[in-house]
Amino acid sequence: MSDSKAGALHPETRLVHAGTLRSQFGETSEALFLTQGHVYDSAEQCEARFLNKDPGFQYARFSNPTVSMLEARMAAFEGAQACRATATGMAAVTAALMSLVRAGDHVVAAQALFGSCRYVVEEHLPRYGVESTLVKGPDIEAWRKAVRPNTKVFFLESPANPTLEVIDIAAVAKLAKEVGAKLVVDNVFATPLFQRPLELGADVVVYSATKHIDGQGRCLGGLILGSEDIITPEVQTFLRQTGPAMSPFNAWVMLKALETLPLRVRQQAANARLVADWLLGQDKLPKVTFPGHPGHPQAEIIAKQMSGPSTLVAFEVAGGKEAAFRLLNALKLIRISNNLGDAKSLIVHPATTTHQRFSPEVRATMGVTDGLIRLSIGLEHPDDLIADLKQALAAV
Ligand SMILES: Cc1ncc(COP(=O)(O)O)c(C=O)c1O
């Protein structure tokens, strides 16, 4: 039985109850249905199930009770009509984009993107006859100028990985509607708690659930949310036929993790603010970017579209790569890792990792300089994080 009343409740309540399917055993915690398939009472029932005339499950590549609970809970939280889970965040980004375009179409995307997102737009889609143009995301006129008669999709991340550049989602969504394109927003860095792209006019929202949704570094996953008329015919068909399904085990971990998402993300953001404030005062760091600071280049847009900052801080170390490596290597508590959104604070040098495959010139257009460091703040005591950064900065 699905908790149908959950949709009218506050977000925190929805994250605990929405989507629950209780078995005949009446379990309190959602069950893990670790099954590839389902059996039918008769060949007639099996036929009806395949014709979508009999409700129920068939095969875990299409749907699974635990995965469905996660999808329903996430849809209720995001205020989306529909949600589909995928094996990874990149599977979600790729499926969302591939299912919205055909050969001969054109995509406009922000140039400051996570490396793999940019690969899909810049290199993968063109192989199938879908051209793309990359624009400076915060410049709305650049989006307008890039539009062609065959533009079908706009794609952006905000805040962007790793620079935390912010884009006016409502303005891009308005333009997308004017020109008949669908806007897809990668909302990973904002988290579903602090930014609601569908309410700002986006058509599709994608997540790497690997990040804050799991939040404890265990499982990979992705989520795609939007209206029924996009998700069911386009995205669901693509996923069912091409197969990047989320494992039921991963869905179970994510489903349980959603119950604590507001607690974790609010605390991580509060910790990030304290760390970012401290970093701002340091001589060796010429630039500190945090979406909660009034000095953020897009502070006005942040005030308009985000209800909280981020759990990430980006900062520049004077002295380029060498100084950045010295800082990373001197840290004792904060660990070097390309992941983010974890309970553990993690730090990375984007120019040599997530954005390593781009030339220095391209990296410069994305704001990924040799001294740039991305810090994902976790659930440790902020004083311990600041003490670690302080001793490491002394080594630079
Ligand atoms: C903004 C953004 N989108 C998508 C992804 C891809 O997620 P996954 O690693 O789960 O495939 C990442 C991963 O770092 C990301 O930062």
Side-chain angles (χ1 to χ4, degrees):
M1 187 193 69
S2 161
D3 192 341
S4 58
K5 287 198 204 102
L9 299 167
H10 288 90
E12 290 81 353
T13 313
R14 278 181 253 157
L15 283 173
V16 175
H17 290 284
T20 298
L21 295 168
R22 221 157 246 132
S23 81
Q24 70 271 33
F25 301 115
E27 61 280 354
T28 45
S29 176
E30 294 74 5
L32 166 54
F33 290 94
L34 203 49
T35 179
Q36 295 167 341
H38 301 264
V39 294
Y40 310 97
D41 293 338
S42 64
E44 286 76 13
Q45 188 193 39
C46 183
E47 181 188 31
R49 195 83 46 97
F50 271 77
L51 287 168
N52 286 331
K53 288 185 178 161
D54 182 65
F57 296 92
Q58 293 147 277
Y59 188 58
R61 173 155 49 77
F62 317 159
S63 58
N64 164 277
T66 308
V67 178
S68 291
M69 285 193 258
L70 170 67
E71 292 168 340
R73 184 165 293 179
M74 197 58 201
F77 180 41
E78 192 87 29
Q81 287 176 0
C83 173
R84 290 292 174 274
T86 55
T88 65
M90 280 322 301
V93 170
T94 308
L97 295 177
M98 295 284 284
S99 54
L100 290 175
V101 292
R102 307 284 180 273
D105 289 348
H106 174 241
V107 173
V108 184
Q111 65 186 10
L113 294 176
F114 171 56
S116 300
C117 292
R118 189 153 154 162
Y119 167 82
V120 172
V121 170
E122 211 178 7
E123 295 184 41
H124 187 72
L125 292 180
R127 289 192 197 174
Y128 302 94
V130 178
E131 293 185 317
S132 56
T133 306
L134 296 165
V135 297
K136 207 163 172 21
D139 180 355
I140 302 302
E141 274 319 295
W143 289 85
R144 189 182 296 281
K145 281 191 198 127
V147 171
R148 300 181 192 167
N150 56 341
T151 303
K152 293 287 159 50
V153 171
F154 283 4
F155 177 60
L156 63 88
E157 281 171 31
S158 183
N161 182 0
T163 56
L164 306 178
E165 176 181 272
V166 166
I167 298 174
D168 187 337
I169 296 175
V172 178
K174 187 164 168 272
L175 179 63
K177 290 219 164 42
E178 268 171 52
V179 304
K182 300 272 184 254
L183 171 60
V184 179
V185 173
D186 181 331
N187 205 36
V188 167
F189 270 50
T191 82
L193 193 68
F194 292 152
Q195 184 166 271
R196 303 177 64 76
L198 296 176
E199 288 171 11
L200 296 165
D203 298 284
V204 175
V205 181
V206 289
Y207 289 100
S208 164
T210 314
K211 313 302 183 223
H212 305 85
I213 291 175
D214 174 348
Q216 288 165 78
R218 296 162 295 195
C219 294
L220 295 172
L223 294 158
I224 310 172
L225 298 111
S227 57
E228 202 68 70
D229 64 326
I230 295 178
I231 301 296
T232 306
E234 303 292 349
V235 175
Q236 168 67 13
T237 306
F238 181 89
L239 296 176
R240 178 178 171 139
Q241 307 300 353
T242 63
M246 180 185 275
S247 129
F249 178 77
N250 290 10
W252 180 77
V253 171
M254 309 265 178
L255 179 68
K256 300 307 294 173
L258 280 182
E259 295 176 354
T260 58
L261 180 108
L263 287 175
R264 289 183 283 106
V265 170
R266 279 194 195 112
Q267 187 61 49
Q268 283 172 255
N271 291 354
R273 183 180 293 281
L274 292 171
V275 171
D277 289 351
W278 182 84
L279 290 170
L280 202 55
Q282 304 309 307
D283 292 344
K284 293 175 184 170
L285 309 179
K287 190 171 165 193
V288 176
T289 311
F290 178 62
H293 279 163
H296 187 288
Q298 291 91 33
E300 273 178 36
I301 299 167
I302 292 167
K304 213 172 57 163
Q305 74 185 21
M306 294 180 74
S307 60
S310 173
T311 66
L312 289 119
V313 190
F315 59 95
E316 191 88 36
V317 189
K321 178 182 161 187
E322 264 182 43
F325 274 30
R326 271 203 300 277
L327 174 67
L328 263 58
N329 290 335
L331 288 163
K332 294 184 173 135
L333 179 65
I334 301 170
R335 302 308 303 264
I336 304 168
S337 170
N338 52 292
N339 204 10
L340 60 101
D342 198 289
K344 293 179 171 59
S345 292
L346 303 172
I347 198 159
V348 73
H349 181 245
T352 52
T353 57
T354 54
H355 291 69
Q356 162 255 110
R357 66 181 194 87
F358 300 107
S359 67
E361 295 73 35
V362 172
R363 280 203 295 271
T365 65
M366 301 165 94
V368 180
T369 57
D370 286 350
L372 183 77
I373 288 178
R374 187 193 78 194
L375 174 59
S376 169
I377 296 295
L379 289 170
E380 303 92 340
H381 196 290
D383 290 352
D384 294 334
L385 298 174
I386 291 169
D388 196 27
L389 286 161
K390 190 173 180 182
Q391 65 81 24
L393 211 48
V396 172

